[in-house]
Amino acid sequence: MALLSLLVSKPSLKTSLLYLTSHLIPIIPSSPLSSHCTTSTFPLPSQSPPVPKKLPFNISAHAKTWQDPYHWMRNAKDPDFVDYLNQENSYAQAFMADTQNLQKILLEEMKNRLPAQISTPPERWGHWLYYQYIPEGKEYPVLCRRLETEESGLLKTLLNYAKGHFGMEQVLLDWNQIAEQYGYVHVGTCRVSPDHNFLAYTLDITGNEQFLLEVKDLSNGYIVSRSQVDGVVSLAWAQDSTILFYTVSDENQRPYRVLFTKVGSDEIDDVPVFTESNSSFCVDITSTKDGKFITVNSNSRTSSEEGIYLVYVIDATNPLDGLQRVRERVSGVRYFLEHHYGVFYILTNAPLSESEELSDGNYYLAQCQVEDIQSSDWQNIILPSEDMSFQDMDIFNGHLVLFVNKKSFPALCSVNLPIKFNSVKQLEIENLDPWFFPLPSNQCNIVPGSNHDFMNPVYRVVLSSPVMPGVIVDYNMSERIFSIVQQEKVRDISGDCGSCSLAYELDTSEHRDPLNNKEKNNLNIELQRWKDFSGAYCCKTKEVISHDGVRVPLTILYSQKAWQRGQAPGLLEGYGAYGEVLDKSWCSDRLSLLDRGWVLAFADVRGGGGHSLWHESGSGLNKCNSIHDFISCGNYLVSEGYVHRDQLGAIGFSAGGLLVGAAINMNPNLFRAAILKVPFLDACNTLLDPSLPLTLLDYEEFGNPQIQSQFESILSYSPYDNIPRDACLPSMLVTASFHDSRVGVWEAAKWVARTRDITCSHCSRSVILKTNMTGGHFGEGGCYSQCEETAYDYAFLMKTMGNSFQHSFSHLADDWSIQKFVYFEDEKHENSC
């Protein structure tokens, strides 16, 4: 269901800003797990790992001086550095040579689970139906549309789609053609013009995230001729469909300026509209759902409530009239605007009165007339209930959609518009007769669909959980019914799925909202219609007590049949930065571990999402909390018997690599193996260099090392600076991308070089560095190439887990009927899979 996100033309107000947020988006005593080198149970390559050169280089800060002999790697163009990366790739290839057949088996499993056709159901926007699909045998999606005739309703369209009778289509954008032309493709933003005649999109063809702006004339399929503009981040159309607003980044990749261009005009230079001179702020633009206004948002980069926020509005019908500011910039106060027939709805945390202090991230909804937007007193207020908080909103012709956190779980509700206050100035959400969308479980991940059409009473979402493949659901807010439109197909799945189907067909049956009837029995009957694999896989959430007594959510996933208490290998994932929620949605690739008896666990450590205080308590001077949380979750998995005491692995992506790397330094015996993907490891040195892209913006998240207290905090956990000397570290797969503009390729290289230099010489031979010499921070991105990468990662884990390497296949004999063969060096192991 990841396809749906590519089509989004109107992002949610708060999440549209989170794209800018992640450039990465007391010590617990070590457990005496092993007194010998971890590499003793698996073969090592005959060749020795590369030994890079060391050059003297001193770094000084706050009266402290230390040496960094690998500082020279910062020059990624140095031929010696490129040669070193190639040597490391050769060593990684030699290390993984005995897993080639295993990788092939894993890859075949993952590809076989993919449906023959990957596509999204059509979604109406005006007179058009937009949809996407991945052509058979291709890596990337194709964005298409077809004109909807007046006599064909949406239900008929969906049924025709299910039967394959979908008529002629117009291809708007084919990612595969771009990839074949340039060798790499990453489409950042797509925006269809209000008259549906143009498609504006941003394109990265190198991996460095310097996105080019392109505009396609949909009437003839040609790219509109214009001077090249790169570094483009966000886009917004004016109502006349000829003026396009966009933001560009500075040399540090900070979106800082808004300009507009006239599509098809002979004018050479685009016109600047707004420039943010403060280097700590990013600029983002978006349109209100009805297209009447464009908002220009200048804000600090993280979701911290300590940030400062400023919003301007542009009248999209008269876009050359200039900007109008929404109130003064006040520290900690944030605004998110939508428009509905002359009325602004503002999601904000501003104090309700001059005597009231800023709330702890608790948002409420304000209403005011367009002409009163600069008023210091917004009179009409909608408040959440005591057990609820507002997170985001979306708006339509007849309905307001609120994203809420209800009793610590995500939820959605709609209220009818317009809202009449009469003589009452404050209302609670319960006073508005909200309809809470029925959801399958509290563990459900909710992702809004594109939902372009302001006039549509149907709200589309994608629901998913660790045990439920993504399901697209349409919620009819007028009739308060919902329809299951499509659920992700999963083929060749092993294990007893209970009442679950192996292949999901289109289900357009409508379900009455049981919450309206207050009938619990009806609720249970309706929720059984959600198809999941909870009969085959167990998913539970536990609360783990961290070092300071704080309870940390830990989601644990395992096979009901294959898992063995106290004997299972396990993999713990964490992120813990930028207020981002750890993704726990369905992923069929995980079945290759689960069906072999593995436990997969997700640690929602502090610094991540949930609420603002959770983020703040794991960032800046509090960053060590997230590391202790992660270690506590690892210890819990072992002590409670979910994972064997010597079979725990860890994985972290980007800023999550910092989390895992720091946890390994603090407690090297806890983990048997680890995977660090494009990891942020050289935190102190990177943050000390303000010339590097995104460094200044990261001061809010990790701290400003120019301030001594923050410098000492960063230095205390920076993974590169705290590698324990002479220690036996776990086996590690460290990945990097040469053109990564968010995390320098040298960070992973320096970490690996120093680990080999100062830790156990035998154990460090199982630390490998694999660098993508052509890609960027997000890798290649194609569906099959992602399977290949995951198969490689899983093969590394299975090899380095020692005895579990062979044991991990034993559970497949009862579940699969296909004979497969696994080869390791000169031994042949026949497994009934």
Side-chain angles (χ1 to χ4, degrees):
M1 297 307 171
L3 280 176
L4 201 60
S5 63
L6 299 173
L7 184 58
V8 171
S9 176
K10 172 62 176 68
S12 61
L13 297 173
K14 294 177 71 177
T15 55
S16 66
L17 302 176
L18 290 178
Y19 171 80
L20 306 175
T21 69
S22 17
H23 100 258
L24 311 180
I25 96 148
I27 297 177
I28 300 174
S30 299
S31 304
L33 300 181
S34 177
S35 59
H36 55 81
C37 293
T38 58
T39 59
S40 59
T41 56
F42 57 85
L44 291 169
S46 58
Q47 70 187 75
S48 298
V51 180
K53 67 184 181 183
K54 298 168 68 175
L55 299 178
F57 189 87
N58 291 332
I59 302 175
S60 298
H62 302 289
K64 290 186 178 182
T65 301
W66 64 97
Q67 288 194 347
D68 183 7
Y70 302 111
H71 183 271
W72 65 272
M73 293 184 180
R74 285 276 300 279
N75 180 10
K77 297 180 180 179
D78 188 331
D80 288 345
F81 180 59
V82 175
D83 182 61
Y84 169 65
L85 294 180
N86 288 325
Q87 291 180 46
E88 286 287 0
N89 280 344
S90 296
Y91 181 74
Q93 184 178 7
F95 184 91
M96 295 293 289
D98 58 353
T99 69
Q100 289 298 315
N101 286 283
L102 173 58
Q103 291 181 53
K104 291 178 182 177
I105 290 172
L106 293 169
L107 177 59
E108 193 67 17
E109 292 172 10
M110 295 172 188
K111 290 171 64 175
N112 285 342
R113 294 190 196 103
L114 296 176
Q117 181 185 26
I118 303 176
S119 61
T120 63
E123 187 166 357
R124 182 194 292 129
W125 183 14
H127 295 298
W128 292 92
L129 296 169
Y130 289 83
Y131 56 98
Q132 292 179 88
Y133 71 95
I134 297 179
E136 186 174 355
K138 298 292 186 178
E139 289 272 359
Y140 300 100
V142 178
L143 173 61
C144 304
R145 73 179 182 182
R146 67 182 290 269
L147 194 61
E148 183 191 29
T149 57
E150 292 183 4
E151 59 269 17
S152 64
L154 183 59
L155 180 58
K156 181 178 179 181
T157 299
L158 292 173
L159 291 173
N160 286 335
Y161 161 78
K163 297 175 182 177
H165 304 151
F166 201 42
M168 299 297 292
E169 69 181 16
Q170 178 186 7
V171 174
L172 307 185
L173 190 62
D174 187 341
W175 278 250
N176 299 283
Q177 290 181 355
I178 301 172
E180 290 168 4
Q181 180 179 358
Y182 298 104
Y184 179 89
V185 59
H186 181 186
V187 176
T189 304
C190 283
R191 295 290 182 266
V192 177
S193 62
D195 63 4
H196 300 266
N197 288 332
F198 295 97
L199 173 67
Y201 58 95
T202 61
L203 179 64
D204 174 17
I205 55 176
T206 65
N208 64 1
E209 295 187 72
Q210 287 295 306
F211 288 91
L212 305 173
L213 172 61
E214 292 198 345
V215 180
K216 178 180 282 190
D217 186 338
L218 299 181
S219 65
N220 56 31
Y222 292 115
I223 301 297
V224 177
S225 177
R226 51 167 293 110
S227 58
Q228 180 173 303
V229 180
D230 58 11
V232 178
V233 180
S234 52
L235 307 170
W237 286 97
Q239 279 212 313
D240 65 1
S241 295
T242 63
I243 293 180
L244 175 67
F245 290 85
Y246 62 91
T247 61
V248 295
S249 300
D250 61 15
E251 63 276 5
N252 287 325
Q253 294 190 333
R254 176 182 68 94
Y256 80 109
R257 176 171 290 172
V258 180
L259 302 96
F260 75 80
T261 184
K262 291 185 177 180
V263 177
S265 170
D266 294 331
E267 296 180 19
I268 298 176
D269 296 327
D270 293 344
V271 180
V273 176
F274 173 80
T275 300
E276 177 55 80
S277 58
N278 190 323
S279 61
S280 298
F281 291 85
C282 294
V283 177
D284 176 60
I285 56 173
T286 188
S287 299
T288 57
K289 174 58 69 69
D290 61 1
K292 300 293 186 183
F293 289 89
I294 295 168
T295 62
V296 178
N297 313 291
S298 177
N299 61 292
S300 55
R301 188 164 179 266
T302 72
S303 58
S304 169
E305 297 307 321
E306 297 176 359
I308 303 176
Y309 202 74
L310 184 63
V311 178
Y312 293 88
V313 293
I314 299 173
D315 186 345
T317 58
N318 299 289
L320 304 185
D321 286 353
L323 296 85
Q324 183 179 11
R325 187 173 62 187
V326 179
R327 291 194 173 183
E328 297 287 336
R329 177 176 276 170
V330 178
S331 178
V333 175
R334 301 169 73 87
Y335 309 100
F336 305 92
L337 273 69
E338 267 295 358
H339 176 260
H340 186 268
Y341 295 104
V343 175
F344 278 125
Y345 286 83
I346 308 109
L347 189 65
T348 181
N349 64 335
L352 287 169
S353 65
E354 294 183 0
S355 60
E356 182 179 305
E357 295 182 357
L358 182 67
S359 63
D360 295 330
N362 293 323
Y363 288 85
Y364 61 89
L365 200 61
Q367 184 195 73
C368 74
Q369 298 295 317
V370 167
E371 58 270 20
D372 297 331
I373 188 62
Q374 291 182 311
S375 170
S376 60
D377 185 18
W378 293 328
Q379 292 293 324
N380 296 334
I381 304 297
I382 302 170
L383 300 173
S385 57
E386 292 184 2
D387 61 350
M388 180 194 301
S389 62
F390 294 159
Q391 304 292 316
D392 208 342
M393 68 172 172
D394 203 347
I395 204 162
F396 296 84
N397 177 60
H399 304 90
L400 172 72
V401 177
L402 288 171
F403 294 71
V404 304
N405 191 294
K406 185 174 176 62
K407 297 182 179 179
S408 300
F409 293 106
L412 287 167
C413 72
S414 67
V415 296
N416 294 335
L417 292 179
I419 297 174
K420 300 297 185 181
F421 282 85
N422 299 322
S423 60
V424 180
K425 295 300 182 183
Q426 289 191 12
L427 295 173
E428 289 197 1
I429 187 68
E430 286 83 356
N431 303 131
L432 303 177
D433 186 28
W435 178 46
F436 285 91
F437 297 177
L439 299 172
S441 76
N442 289 332
Q443 294 175 330
C444 184
N445 183 52
I446 305 170
V447 177
S450 42
N451 295 308
H452 309 282
D453 199 334
F454 177 73
M455 302 304 294
N456 197 349
V458 175
Y459 194 77
R460 177 166 290 181
V461 300
V462 182
L463 306 177
S464 179
S465 82
V467 295
M468 186 182 74
V471 54
I472 297 179
V473 183
D474 281 352
Y475 292 93
N476 189 315
M477 298 176 288
S478 295
E479 299 184 28
R480 298 198 168 186
I481 57 177
F482 70 94
S483 301
I484 298 175
V485 179
Q486 175 182 296
Q487 189 156 21
E488 180 180 346
K489 296 179 174 69
V490 183
R491 303 187 304 167
D492 287 2
I493 186 168
S494 63
D496 179 13
C497 300
S499 59
C500 300
S501 300
L502 297 184
Y504 300 121
E505 301 299 331
L506 186 73
D507 182 358
T508 56
S509 58
E510 295 176 336
H511 308 282
R512 286 286 166 184
D513 172 27
L515 294 178
N516 270 13
N517 301 328
K518 309 295 184 181
E519 297 177 3
K520 294 184 178 180
N521 291 335
N522 190 23
L523 173 62
N524 293 333
I525 292 172
E526 297 296 349
L527 295 188
Q528 286 175 8
R529 295 179 181 269
W530 305 103
K531 300 167 184 175
D532 63 29
F533 292 106
S534 56
Y537 304 99
C538 178
C539 181
K540 57 179 68 174
T541 300
K542 299 291 184 179
E543 289 188 334
V544 176
I545 306 300
S546 191
H547 68 111
D548 55 358
V550 172
R551 296 178 180 272
V552 180
L554 176 66
T555 302
I556 304 172
L557 179 65
Y558 57 86
S559 168
Q560 302 273 24
K561 177 180 287 188
W563 174 68
Q564 294 182 355
R565 176 172 289 277
Q567 300 299 314
L571 184 63
L572 177 64
E573 181 178 343
Y575 186 74
Y578 303 109
E580 294 274 359
V581 177
L582 190 62
D583 181 20
K584 296 182 282 291
S585 57
W586 169 264
C587 176
S588 62
D589 291 349
R590 297 183 188 132
L591 302 183
S592 291
L593 290 181
L594 295 172
D595 289 344
R596 288 172 168 86
W598 284 63
V599 171
L600 302 181
F602 308 86
D604 285 301
V605 302
R606 280 172 282 185
H611 53 79
S612 59
L613 294 180
W614 194 251
H615 171 230
E616 292 171 13
S617 61
S619 60
L621 294 173
N622 301 315
K623 184 59 188 174
C624 282
N625 284 335
S626 62
I627 303 165
H628 292 304
D629 292 349
F630 193 75
I631 293 173
S632 297
C633 288
N635 280 322
Y636 179 89
L637 291 171
V638 173
S639 63
E640 294 299 313
Y642 288 102
V643 176
H644 186 279
R645 63 198 304 265
D646 199 19
Q647 298 295 311
L648 179 61
I651 185 169
F653 296 78
S654 194
L658 181 150
L659 175 74
V660 174
I664 289 171
N665 288 343
M666 288 186 180
N667 199 332
N669 290 331
L670 178 59
F671 303 101
R672 184 63 175 268
I675 299 178
L676 309 179
K677 312 279 287 183
V678 289
F680 181 41
L681 295 169
D682 194 16
C684 191
N685 289 324
T686 294
L687 293 170
L688 279 169
D689 187 351
S691 68
L692 291 174
L694 304 172
T695 292
L696 295 176
L697 301 177
D698 268 337
Y699 284 173
E700 283 189 43
E701 183 64 30
F702 300 101
N704 182 355
Q706 307 302 328
I707 301 172
Q708 183 167 353
S709 61
Q710 297 182 31
F711 162 76
E712 292 173 351
S713 173
I714 297 166
L715 189 62
S716 71
Y717 65 77
S718 175
Y720 178 73
D721 299 293
N722 289 279
I723 299 172
R725 185 172 295 274
D726 299 324
C728 286
L729 297 188
S731 303
M732 284 184 278
L733 165 60
V734 186
T735 71
S737 289
F738 192 78
H739 296 293
D740 192 337
S741 60
R742 296 182 180 230
V743 180
V745 62
W746 58 84
E747 300 217 11
K750 289 176 65 177
W751 162 272
V752 169
R754 189 166 191 172
T755 296
R756 296 226 191 91
D757 185 26
I758 69 174
T759 66
C760 171
S761 60
H762 189 64
C763 288
S764 63
R765 292 187 65 192
S766 66
V767 176
I768 62 174
L769 172 64
K770 183 171 181 277
T771 303
N772 180 346
M773 301 300 291
T774 60
H777 190 72
F778 299 104
E780 299 301 328
C783 60
Y784 294 114
S785 61
Q786 288 178 357
C787 290
E788 290 178 1
E789 182 178 336
T790 304
Y792 185 96
D793 295 346
Y794 286 2
F796 173 84
L797 290 172
M798 291 179 184
K799 171 172 180 170
T800 55
M801 284 298 189
N803 291 332
S804 67
F805 188 29
Q806 299 177 24
H807 173 73
S808 62
F809 291 91
S810 62
H811 301 291
L812 295 174
D814 294 332
D815 292 335
W816 290 11
S817 60
I818 303 174
Q819 294 291 320
K820 294 189 178 176
F821 298 87
V822 188
Y823 294 87
F824 305 104
E825 300 228 310
D826 295 329
E827 295 183 86
K828 181 171 114 175
H829 305 272
E830 181 176 342
N831 296 278
S832 178
C833 297

